[in-house]
Structure formats: structure tokens, C-alpha cells
Amino acid sequence: MNHIRPRGWAGLAAALVLGLALPAAASPTSTPGHTGALDTAVSSTMQASAYCGIYWGSLAKSNGTVHTTGTVEDVRAGQHPCFDRLVVDVDDVPASMTYDVRYVDAVHEDGSGIVVPLAGAADLQIILRAPADASGAATYTPADPDRLVNVRDWATFRQVALAGNFEGQTTLGLGVRARLPFRVMVLDGPGDGARLVVDVAHRW
């Protein structure tokens, strides 16, 4: 026996199909190999939610090769909510002193080339073009060159070591937990000197 569908059912079915289709058409979708509105929205959200708003990256950072007559006086470090900070104080020098900071497979001692073993999963080499001596007399004499500051149990830093003072430049080795974003700044002070600041984020 054939069932005869009332004429109104066709209109109702069409309305239901149309009603179900509208929200899907109005919503952005993404398919493999296609960047749609949803992809853009997700990307923007990810950028906006970057850890502590940090976009430093982990590539090498350098600002020139000119050496300064100022001398290294101290190395210190501090912990901040989003990063660990290393500070190198240089006496009697303008804030234009130069540096080269980068991740390397291994930090080597100036002159001898001997590898400086560092704790942590990544080695950050810090070259400051300022000597740690004046007229042959050391201006910076740490008690333990292998551990310039105590960074035990810090979020990012694992070890800070002196890798040498050679031909007008000072090299430090910074062992960190992983290859993490970092930034480098030269700031005025204290006194008539300046300071090199290296911040390494706690995470990406």
C-alpha cells in the first residue's frame, strides 16, 4: 500500500533542511590545506595569548664589533615573574657598548678554545666587547669562575660561568633549561657606567 505524503510535508522538510544549513553556512570552517576565517581567528588567539606577551625569539642578537675601554666590574642575576635576568656591570663606559649573544653547541674559553661545561640543556654564549682588566690588572675576580652567581633551583638559569677575558672582550657561558626566547639590552648606570642585560624567558 502506497502512503501519500501530505503536500505540507514537503514545505516543512525544506524548511527544516534550510534551517539546519543556515548556521553551518554562517560559521567559518577549515579544511585540510585551506586557511579560512577560523584558522585566522585561532592564529590571532594564539598570538594574543603568548607567554607573558613575549615575542623575543631565540635567534642570535648582536649590535656591532667596536670594543670599549670600559671594564667589567661585576656579574649578577635576578628572578622575575616571566624571566630570569643576567646583568653585567661595566664601569666608565657609554651605553653604546657592543655584544654578541647566541645559542651555541658549546661555549669555549677565550684563547685556549677549551670547552666550558655548563649545566642545562642549552648553552647561551655571551660576548661583551669590554675587558675584565685595566692595564693588566683584573677588574673582575670572581670567587668561583665556574659559578659566578647562585642560580640553584631557578626557573630558567642553570649555571653562569666566566669563559675568559681575551683581547679586549669578555665571554660568559650561560647554561639554561632549554633553548628559550631571550632579549639583550644595554642600559645606563650604575654611576658613570652601563650594564648589559640578558633576559631569558621561563618558557615559550
Side-chain angles (χ1 to χ4, degrees):
M1 176 178 180
N2 294 329
H3 294 280
I4 300 175
R5 180 179 300 169
R7 183 179 300 175
W9 282 28
L12 177 59
L16 287 174
V17 170
L18 181 61
L20 291 174
L22 281 176
S27 300
T29 59
S30 175
T31 57
H34 172 71
T35 301
L38 182 59
D39 297 321
T40 303
V42 170
S43 177
S44 299
T45 300
M46 291 176 65
Q47 290 181 7
S49 62
Y51 175 67
C52 286
I54 290 174
Y55 297 97
W56 302 337
S58 62
L59 297 180
K61 296 168 178 61
S62 179
N63 72 340
T65 59
V66 178
H67 289 68
T68 179
T69 56
T71 55
V72 174
E73 300 291 320
D74 194 18
V75 176
R76 48 200 174 91
Q79 300 181 76
H80 293 257
C82 300
F83 54 84
D84 290 351
R85 168 167 289 184
L86 183 71
V87 179
V88 184
D89 293 321
V90 180
D91 188 39
D92 191 23
V93 63
S96 59
M97 61 183 179
T98 63
Y99 58 80
D100 184 280
V101 183
R102 65 184 63 216
Y103 283 105
V104 295
D105 293 334
V107 175
H108 295 82
E109 288 184 2
D110 286 334
S112 70
I114 296 174
V115 172
V116 178
L118 296 169
D123 293 354
L124 197 60
Q125 175 182 271
I126 301 168
I127 296 177
L128 175 60
R129 294 183 177 88
D133 63 65
S135 302
T139 60
Y140 176 56
T141 55
D144 184 356
D146 291 331
R147 298 193 178 273
L148 302 181
V149 291
N150 182 10
V151 294
R152 182 177 180 179
D153 298 327
W154 284 29
T156 294
F157 289 177
R158 293 293 180 265
Q159 184 181 352
V160 185
L162 180 63
N165 168 47
F166 184 71
E167 294 185 345
Q169 74 178 30
T170 301
T171 302
L172 304 177
L174 176 58
V176 297
R177 179 176 58 80
R179 186 181 176 117
L180 294 163
F182 71 95
R183 67 177 174 182
V184 185
M185 300 175 287
V186 176
L187 304 176
D188 285 323
D192 60 354
R195 60 195 187 277
L196 177 73
V197 176
V198 179
D199 295 333
V200 184
H202 291 166
R203 62 180 178 84
W204 284 94

